[in-house]
Amino acid sequence: MTMRLSLSAYKQVQPRVSFQGELSMKPFFRRKDKVVFVLGPTGTGKSRLAIDLATHFPAEVVNCDKMQVYKGLDIVTNKVTEEECRGVPHHLLGIADPDADFTSEDFRHHASLVVESIVTRDRLPIIAGGSNSYVEALANDDPEFRLRYDCCFLWVDVSLPLLHSFVSDRVDRMVRAGLIDEVRNVFDPTKVDDYSQGIKRAIGVPELDQFLRNELTVDAKTSRELRDKAVEKIKENTCMLARRQLQKIQRLHSIWNWKMHRIDATPVFLASGKEADNLWDQIVAGPSTLIVNQFLCDENHVSPVAPSEPVNMVPISVPAMAAVGTR
């Protein structure tokens, strides 16, 4: 059984104050709180890795997938189930109204509150998801966040051709799990839907429009053709999303010079069953755990703060989050 230390065990750095006859007013250094980001294209196992890490460290997961932040359509948006969460608290998962426009600025605001709440309780925030615009808004565009937190970026990568094959198979599994019925339950054939905002932007919703709009007015053969065409379009758009996400991660890495730890999970996707699980532990979860452990123990990342000009953090209450696994 693995013993999980309190995060405070990693926080042993004391403020450096110089006493030379009187208190020096030169800036001293304050230890930053730690935040871990798990990045990667869709289908690479970001949620799995985040949960693996959170079962090893005293941690909680913060969702940064722009579709999973909405309530409903759990199959379409591929939300983690209660069983998959393994008791790990999840935040910003299924909290927004389905018709709302939850922007990057909204994410930055809510994620900042959640991260502060987590570190206040002496736990490690692990921010995981594929919406890199959300990550950028928080980790790069928010100067207060950069001042307060030291970040570790884990990038789960998989060979794109192999990933495309995997996400196509995953779409088939989602269809068997009830994806089409889930979309049908929120579809109104008498209205022209707006697929430009809210959860209806999710891949799997607009692609089914023509099938659902015509399934009761065409013959069985045509209905099957429309259905199959929609499923193929879902696969195509999911593969395109994976490519865009990978390009965005590479751009963030090059432009902002973020120090990312690239974890190549390709061998896992070439295997199956128990062999794949063992490989995941050996080349993904295991190395990532070592990286995070070193990150938490690293004392080189400190933030200069002048005693005469403290950073004022206004206490704020965190709104209640939706329960994990509720549908």
Side-chain angles (χ1 to χ4, degrees):
M1 180 177 180
T2 303
M3 181 178 69
R4 297 201 301 171
L5 298 175
S6 167
L7 205 61
S8 60
Y10 294 95
K11 300 179 179 179
Q12 300 300 323
V13 178
Q14 301 297 321
R16 301 174 185 176
V17 182
S18 174
F19 290 94
Q20 296 179 352
E22 60 182 23
L23 179 65
S24 171
M25 295 305 292
K26 294 180 179 180
F28 66 97
F29 290 89
R30 187 186 69 183
R31 179 75 143 76
K32 288 186 177 183
D33 287 311
K34 305 281 189 172
V35 178
V36 172
F37 287 82
V38 180
L39 313 177
T42 184
T44 53
K46 299 179 296 297
S47 294
R48 179 181 181 181
L49 178 57
I51 293 168
D52 282 345
L53 292 172
T55 59
H56 185 87
F57 300 98
E60 300 181 16
V61 175
V62 182
N63 166 58
C64 69
D65 183 294
K66 64 176 59 176
M67 292 297 107
Q68 293 181 1
V69 75
Y70 290 105
K71 300 174 184 176
L73 296 184
D74 293 352
I75 298 173
V76 172
T77 58
N78 202 35
K79 292 186 180 78
V80 289
T81 65
E82 185 173 5
E83 180 181 2
E84 290 169 336
C85 287
R86 286 183 273 162
V88 173
H90 279 61
H91 304 272
L92 302 188
L93 191 66
I95 63 161
D97 185 89
D99 296 322
D101 186 16
F102 196 89
T103 66
S104 295
E105 178 61 22
D106 292 325
F107 173 79
R108 185 204 61 76
H109 171 72
H110 288 286
S112 295
L113 297 179
V114 171
V115 168
E116 182 176 8
S117 172
I118 293 172
V119 299
T120 299
R121 289 181 280 108
D122 199 27
R123 298 178 69 80
L124 174 69
I126 300 177
I127 301 177
S131 297
N132 298 307
S133 59
Y134 280 9
V135 174
E136 186 173 16
L138 183 64
N140 189 77
D141 299 344
D142 187 339
E144 185 175 294
F145 187 89
R146 295 201 310 271
L147 181 64
R148 289 198 62 187
Y149 302 107
D150 189 14
C151 300
C152 173
F153 297 93
L154 300 175
W155 165 16
V156 187
D157 198 15
V158 176
S159 166
L160 266 183
L162 188 61
L163 184 60
H164 287 171
S165 175
F166 172 81
V167 297
S168 293
D169 291 341
R170 188 178 71 175
V171 169
D172 288 333
R173 293 195 298 272
M174 293 165 69
V175 170
R176 290 194 295 270
L179 180 149
I180 294 176
D181 286 337
E182 189 176 68
V183 177
R184 183 184 285 115
N185 289 336
V186 299
F187 182 79
D188 186 349
T190 66
K191 296 181 179 179
V192 177
D193 275 315
D194 179 6
Y195 296 115
S196 64
Q197 67 177 24
I199 200 171
K200 289 184 178 179
R201 292 177 296 159
I203 294 175
V205 180
E207 293 86 353
L208 284 166
D209 183 280
Q210 288 302 305
F211 165 66
L212 295 175
R213 198 171 296 280
N214 295 286
E215 63 175 332
L216 299 179
T217 61
V218 298
D219 59 74
K221 180 176 181 295
T222 303
S223 179
R224 284 194 301 272
E225 290 174 349
L226 288 172
R227 177 187 180 277
D228 293 344
K229 183 178 179 180
V231 171
E232 287 304 311
K233 191 64 176 177
I234 293 171
K235 294 179 180 181
E236 178 185 335
N237 288 342
T238 305
C239 291
M240 290 175 61
L241 172 64
R243 285 199 299 273
R244 290 197 304 270
Q245 289 173 326
L246 177 59
Q247 291 168 354
K248 182 65 176 289
I249 292 172
Q250 292 170 336
R251 185 184 73 82
L252 294 177
H253 180 49
S254 61
I255 293 180
W256 303 117
N257 196 30
W258 288 359
K259 294 181 180 178
M260 294 187 184
H261 300 274
R262 178 178 174 270
I263 309 295
D264 186 2
T266 299
V268 177
F269 287 72
L270 289 170
S272 61
K274 189 173 182 180
E275 180 186 3
D277 289 337
N278 290 337
L279 280 171
W280 175 269
D281 292 338
Q282 292 170 16
I283 68 175
V284 180
S288 296
T289 300
L290 293 176
I291 290 169
V292 172
N293 188 72
Q294 178 62 40
F295 168 66
L296 295 177
C297 295
D298 186 4
E299 299 180 1
N300 293 325
H301 297 275
V302 289
S303 174
V305 181
S308 58
E309 299 178 0
V311 177
N312 295 318
M313 302 305 300
V314 179
I316 40 184
S317 60
V318 179
M321 296 298 160
V324 176
T326 56
R327 294 178 179 267

